[in-house]
Amino acid sequence: SQTIHQWPATLVQPVGSPLSLECTVEGTSNPNLYWYRQAAGRGLQLLFYSVGIGQISSEVPQNLSASRPQDRQFILSSKKLLLSDSGFYLCAWDPIRLAGMAPSDEQFFGPGTRLTVL
Amino acid sequence: KNEVEQSPQNLTAQEGEFITINCSYSVGISALHWLQQHPGGGIVSLFMLSSGKKKHGRLIATINIQEKHSSLHITASHPRDSAVYICAVGGNQFYFGTGTSLTVIP
């Protein structure tokens, strides 16, 4: 079975400090990987997605960056956190879509990391 | 205007009631997802729809592609159904509704 892990579960960081959130997926290979953020009282916002190692697409300009050093590892980073970076960060995956095939049935989400920037 | 609109934003129901949550979208999509987010934050995928209707237990999801509208129904609601229900549309990239917060009272 496929599982997705995120850590840490919660994080409190001062403004200006660095950030590293990690996401790993088990039981599958070559997944699409996603980072989402859910700010308080707002919907989910796609931050980054990756279709393969070293391939990152950014949806929203910001002070965050993402990297995919291994097939099933996706990392969200920042050199200097802002207050506005506070939120709930979710990693998700879905099986790679092959040309001509229908989308997968589900996009699987990790347990999330709740980040508070003070 | 948001690409995905959900209604109602908040919903309180008595245990056993039939519940309907609506989702309207304005973009072209390949699929629509209904998600459930529990108070701890974890998100579970309930359904993916591209047409018609799907049923899983007490949950039923329908979609009308022409009208760009989907509904999530919960029959015989139970307090454990209390959660935020989120509609998401798209393909490789998703647009999300802000969610419907459901509270089912015993």
Side-chain angles (χ1 to χ4, degrees):
Chain A
S1 64
Q2 300 88 1
T3 55
I4 181 168
H5 303 279
Q6 277 186 252
W7 62 89
T10 59
L11 193 59
V12 180
Q13 292 284 98
V15 168
S17 64
L19 173 73
S20 181
L21 303 181
E22 187 164 345
C23 169
T24 59
V25 180
E26 295 178 358
T28 186
S29 59
N30 201 24
N32 292 339
L33 294 173
Y34 306 80
W35 277 112
Y36 293 96
R37 177 173 62 200
Q38 186 180 42
R42 302 185 66 182
L44 286 161
Q45 179 187 38
L46 179 63
L47 301 176
F48 301 96
Y49 70 94
S50 170
V51 299
I53 296 174
Q55 300 178 64
I56 309 294
S57 297
S58 174
E59 290 301 301
V60 181
Q62 59 214 318
N63 68 319
L64 299 171
S65 62
S67 62
R68 186 167 176 176
Q70 300 180 44
D71 180 46
R72 289 171 288 177
Q73 184 185 32
F74 205 20
I75 298 173
L76 183 69
S77 304
S78 174
K79 292 182 180 178
K80 288 186 178 181
L81 284 169
L82 306 173
L83 285 174
S84 58
D85 292 324
S86 293
F88 188 63
Y89 289 81
L90 283 156
C91 179
W93 75 278
D94 65 12
I96 194 84
R97 294 190 179 89
L98 300 177
M101 293 185 68
S104 59
D105 271 346
E106 296 183 10
Q107 187 181 46
F108 297 95
F109 291 89
T113 296
R114 194 163 299 281
L115 172 66
T116 303
V117 182
L118 301 175
Chain B
K1 184 182 185 300
N2 294 331
E3 292 84 358
V4 182
E5 299 279 357
Q6 283 186 238
S7 64
Q9 287 187 316
N10 297 283
L11 183 58
T12 301
Q14 292 288 332
E15 183 173 357
E17 284 185 5
F18 180 85
I19 290 164
T20 297
I21 300 171
N22 295 299
C23 174
S24 296
Y25 53 93
S26 58
V27 295
I29 69 170
S30 58
L32 180 146
H33 294 244
W34 280 104
L35 311 172
Q36 181 190 52
Q37 185 173 29
H38 286 281
I43 291 182
V44 175
S45 294
L46 298 175
F47 295 103
M48 185 209 77
L49 296 165
S50 53
S51 65
K53 179 168 75 173
K54 285 190 176 180
K55 184 176 186 295
H56 180 71
R58 295 179 294 105
L59 302 176
I60 303 167
T62 64
I63 188 169
N64 185 317
I65 298 295
Q66 288 73 31
E67 295 183 3
K68 294 189 174 181
H69 180 269
S70 175
S71 293
L72 176 68
H73 306 285
I74 304 175
T75 62
S77 58
H78 189 276
R80 63 174 175 266
D81 297 326
S82 299
V84 175
Y85 292 83
I86 301 169
C87 175
V89 302
N92 272 336
Q93 303 169 40
F94 287 93
Y95 297 97
F96 292 86
T98 54
T100 295
S101 180
L102 171 65
T103 303
V104 181
I105 301 171

